[in-house]
Amino acid sequence: MPTVTSDVNGDEGMQLPPSGEQYGIARGGSQAFITQVGATLRSYTVGGQDVLDGFGVGERATDGRGQVLAPWPNRLTDGRYQYGGRACQAPLNEVSRHDAIHGLVRWLDWTPVERDPATITLACALRPQPGYEWHLDLRVTYALEDRGLTVTFEAVNLDREPAPFGVGFHPYLTLGTPSIDGLELTIPASRVLAPNHSRRGPTPTATAGTLGDFRQPRTIGSVELDAAFGDLAVGPDGHAVARLSDPDSERSVELWVDSAYRYLMVYTGDQVGEPRRRRTAVAIEPMTCPPDAFRTGVDLIELEPRSPWQGSWGLRSVEAAKRQPTGRSS
């Protein structure tokens, strides 16, 4: 029986890697590593093949790789918003766009609270601060199952008043090809949210007939994507499923979301920091709300005091003979 392992054990005199302790889980031919810093999904392999384009144990996460994005995902224009009579200003950590991106927990240490060979749960206390004035208890569980990897996120508001909330994740999907241009992509979405240059939040438009229409499998080619997709089609199990497929090897990887995640941010990696990694993987990011939700209120979760919230998403490596339809419109 495989056991939960750590790449580096943190004994006195040993230096931890940039992402802290490394927590390994395994089941059958699948293995994943999650890091102490940010509860980040650093790697996930099935049958020895990478499902994620992650990062090495001696590196830190770059370009959001595998990170947890809370208490808001994606961009918050000017880092400024109002909620419950409070005016908040978050640090601008994407200076070129003058925004606050991907929340406040991806560089914090998370603590393992439950572990077995195939599952780990990590917790983080998000304390009130200038950019976010509420106290949240956050937990994320990574579980390897027969069907693949399932990620469950839980949030509890420990304050006496409602708190604004959103969460996302940032996995880069790979099929081991040097380029994504020849891969087929399926995004089960009938709307795409284009940036609104008036700074009022993204504008939803229909995907039908546009370069962003991937409701049916389509070769990526030279298309560049960095947009949020909504109005997701779901199957009988209530899940919406995105898929990246390689026609040559007949390998596929699927990312599914439950009803808590109403948006998928899709990024073809054209501007990642390392030029050699550009357009070698596709980030398909589950999000509960669109960009700028703290400013617009669109699909913003309002966490009531002591009332728990939960949502799940997952990954599975799929052989050609086992591929399933992406779903039907809800």
Side-chain angles (χ1 to χ4, degrees):
M1 174 71 69
T3 59
V4 177
T5 60
S6 173
D7 284 350
V8 180
N9 62 23
D11 290 341
E12 185 176 355
M14 294 187 67
Q15 183 177 359
L16 285 174
S19 57
E21 293 281 357
Q22 310 289 301
Y23 306 111
I25 56 175
R27 182 186 177 103
S30 300
Q31 186 176 48
F33 278 95
I34 298 91
T35 71
Q36 176 185 14
V37 176
T40 300
L41 180 60
R42 183 174 67 77
S43 70
Y44 174 40
T45 59
V46 177
Q49 296 182 310
D50 286 325
V51 176
L52 295 182
D53 184 16
F55 57 99
V57 68
E59 303 170 327
R60 71 164 178 85
T62 57
D63 302 298
R65 295 179 187 279
Q67 292 185 317
V68 178
L69 319 176
W72 70 84
N74 213 275
R75 294 176 170 89
L76 178 57
T77 302
D78 299 328
R80 187 181 304 119
Y81 64 97
Q82 294 187 13
Y83 183 85
R86 298 177 183 268
C88 298
Q89 176 65 64
L92 302 181
N93 55 354
E94 193 178 39
V95 177
S96 63
R97 298 197 188 193
H98 205 262
D99 60 38
I101 189 168
H102 293 335
L104 300 167
V105 302
R106 57 192 181 130
W107 303 112
L108 298 182
D109 282 356
W110 290 59
T111 303
V113 291
E114 295 182 29
R115 301 166 68 175
D116 66 38
T119 306
I120 185 166
T121 298
L122 297 103
C124 175
L126 179 61
R127 308 292 185 180
Q129 54 193 279
Y132 190 81
E133 298 285 356
W134 298 269
H135 183 189
L136 305 185
D137 177 39
L138 306 177
R139 297 191 178 212
V140 61
T141 299
Y142 295 93
L144 288 172
E145 304 169 337
D146 290 340
R147 62 178 179 171
L149 175 68
T150 296
V151 183
T152 301
F153 195 87
E154 300 171 85
V156 178
N157 174 12
L158 300 181
D159 264 305
R160 295 181 179 180
E161 59 186 65
F165 178 72
V167 64
F169 289 79
H170 209 304
Y172 283 79
L173 278 57
T174 182
L175 292 170
T177 58
S179 169
I180 62 171
D181 293 8
L183 302 182
E184 292 181 349
L185 178 64
T186 307
I187 308 170
S190 60
R191 288 193 178 273
V192 62
L193 283 70
N196 187 322
H197 298 292
S198 67
R199 308 182 80 77
R200 294 179 181 173
T203 302
T205 59
T207 56
T210 72
L211 290 176
D213 188 357
F214 285 88
R215 290 174 295 169
Q216 298 298 321
R218 193 176 115 212
T219 302
I220 296 172
S222 61
V223 172
E224 297 183 9
L225 297 174
D226 188 7
F229 290 80
D231 286 356
L232 304 180
V234 301
D237 60 359
H239 293 170
V241 182
R243 180 185 298 128
L244 187 66
S245 301
D246 181 3
D248 294 331
S249 69
E250 298 190 328
R251 284 187 63 206
S252 291
V253 57
E254 293 181 343
L255 182 146
W256 60 265
V257 295
D258 69 11
S259 60
Y261 293 92
R262 305 185 65 177
Y263 298 86
L264 295 173
M265 188 76 184
V266 182
Y267 175 43
T268 46
D270 301 274
Q271 301 297 323
V272 298
E274 299 175 73
R276 66 181 180 85
R277 301 183 84 165
R278 291 176 183 168
R279 296 187 68 82
T280 59
V282 179
I284 302 181
E285 309 164 36
M287 303 192 305
T288 60
C289 57
D292 257 338
F294 274 30
R295 291 168 62 92
T296 66
V298 175
D299 287 325
L300 182 65
I301 297 169
E302 297 189 79
L303 288 179
E304 295 295 331
R306 305 289 172 173
S307 180
W309 178 92
Q310 180 176 295
S312 296
W313 63 279
L315 292 166
R316 54 189 176 229
S317 183
V318 184
E319 299 298 328
K322 298 179 181 178
R323 293 178 189 169
Q324 300 294 325
T326 57
R328 54 175 173 78
S329 181
S330 58

